[in-house]
């Protein structure tokens, strides 16, 4: 709150200087011949009335200036409340990932489990069909298996039922799932995603995909 206090103090000094300047400023000369005095009005009475008019004018100016000062203080107060209420943003980071203060980079999410190099990424299903772009990764205690069915026949397939089986290192069956695909067009791979329940992707060493007839 130091800024509003300094502003108010400077404006108060400005008001005081303005008041003193107006108070000591000589009265303007009256052009033309002197007007006749009203009956019963002395020179001292005229001077007092002029002083009163001048003081009244000064008071009006001070009142207007005070109102402006109060408006400025209100605006400053609203600005300060807005700065206090604004939440602090996250720390700035450089392109290298380190924080702007020079601290260590924020921890990153570990990579998901991916397809092993020993697991084939595509296989023939027979009947002119082929599974391609095979990939899978862990989804909790399960395995999310993703791939595409490529149709190399001379006709479109309206719908087909498939079954996948996954095996371990000892050729032991780990799990299986079935699903249906529709609109398998010629030369237009059809994507699919299958959730294989209760199968750890780290244990998968091979798989088979076949079509039910």
């Amino acid at each position: 709150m130091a800024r509003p206090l300094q502003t108010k103090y400077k404006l108060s000094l400005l008001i005081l200087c303005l008041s003193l300047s107006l108070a000591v400023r000589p009265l303007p000369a009256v052009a033309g011949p002197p007007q006749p005095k009203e009956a019963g009005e002395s020179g001292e009475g005229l001077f007092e009335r002029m002083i009163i008019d001048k003081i009244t004018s000064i008071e009006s100016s001070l009142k207007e200036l005070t109102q402006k000062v109060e408006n400025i203080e209100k605006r400053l107060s609203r600005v300060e409340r807005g700065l206090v209420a604004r939440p602090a943003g996250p720390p700035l980071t450089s392109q290298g990932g380190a924080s702007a203060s020079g601290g260590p980079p924020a921890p990153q999410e570990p990579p998901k489990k991916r397809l092993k190099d020993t697991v084939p990424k595509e296989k023939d299903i027979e009947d002119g069909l082929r599974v391609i772009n095979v990939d899978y990764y862990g989804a909790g205690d399960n395995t999310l298996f993703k791939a595409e069915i490529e149709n190399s026949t001379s006709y479109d397939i309206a719908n087909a039922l498939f079954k996948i089986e996954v095996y371990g290192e000892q050729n032991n069956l780990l799990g299986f799932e079935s699903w249906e695909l529709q609109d398998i067009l010629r030369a237009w791979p059809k994507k699919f995603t299958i959730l294989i329940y209760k199968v750890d992707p780290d244990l998968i060493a091979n798989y088979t995909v076949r079509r039910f007839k």
Side-chain angles (χ1 to χ4, degrees):
M1 297 301 293
R3 183 180 298 173
L5 291 176
Q6 290 181 356
T7 303
K8 188 173 182 180
Y9 178 74
K10 292 180 179 179
L11 291 174
S12 300
L13 290 179
L14 178 60
I15 294 171
L16 180 59
C17 293
L18 178 61
S19 302
L20 294 175
S21 175
L22 293 174
V24 300
R25 181 181 300 175
L27 297 176
V30 180
Q35 299 295 329
K37 300 179 181 179
E38 296 180 1
E41 183 179 19
S42 63
E44 293 181 356
L46 179 60
F47 180 78
E48 289 176 357
R49 191 176 67 180
M50 294 176 66
I51 293 296
I52 292 174
D53 292 341
K54 179 62 68 176
I55 293 175
T56 303
S57 177
I58 292 174
E59 289 178 349
S60 178
S61 299
L62 289 177
K63 184 177 180 180
E64 182 179 355
L65 187 58
T66 301
Q67 184 66 34
K68 292 181 179 180
V69 172
E70 291 176 354
N71 292 337
I72 292 174
E73 290 179 348
K74 290 179 181 179
R75 289 197 295 267
L76 289 175
S77 179
R78 287 195 296 266
V79 171
E80 288 182 350
R81 286 198 300 268
L83 291 176
V84 172
R86 183 180 300 173
L92 298 177
T93 57
S94 62
Q95 294 182 354
S99 63
S101 59
Q108 299 181 354
E109 183 181 356
K112 296 178 180 179
K113 301 173 183 177
R114 308 302 295 181
L115 180 70
K116 294 181 180 179
D117 294 337
T118 56
V119 179
K121 295 185 178 181
E122 57 182 50
K123 278 188 176 185
D124 286 325
I125 305 176
E126 298 180 351
D127 298 331
L129 298 179
R130 186 175 182 84
V131 59
I132 61 174
N133 296 328
V134 172
D135 196 6
Y136 61 84
Y137 53 87
D141 295 333
N142 312 307
T143 292
L144 199 61
F145 194 97
K146 303 173 64 177
E148 300 177 25
I149 297 294
E150 186 178 57
N151 181 4
S152 299
T153 66
S154 59
Y155 53 89
D156 297 336
I157 300 176
N159 57 72
L161 184 63
F162 297 91
K163 181 180 181 180
I164 182 173
E165 296 179 346
V166 291
Y167 299 90
E169 295 288 349
Q170 306 300 323
N171 203 30
N172 53 312
L173 180 64
L174 300 176
F176 62 89
E177 293 292 338
S178 300
W179 78 99
E180 182 181 11
L181 284 181
Q182 298 179 350
D183 299 327
I184 307 174
L185 307 180
R186 291 172 293 174
W188 195 270
K190 183 75 172 183
K191 295 182 180 180
F192 69 90
T193 301
I194 299 298
L195 186 65
I196 307 176
Y197 292 94
K198 301 301 180 181
V199 173
D200 186 348
D202 282 342
L203 301 179
I204 298 177
N206 201 358
Y207 65 91
T208 60
V209 177
R210 59 189 179 94
R211 177 188 176 186
F212 288 110
K213 298 182 180 179

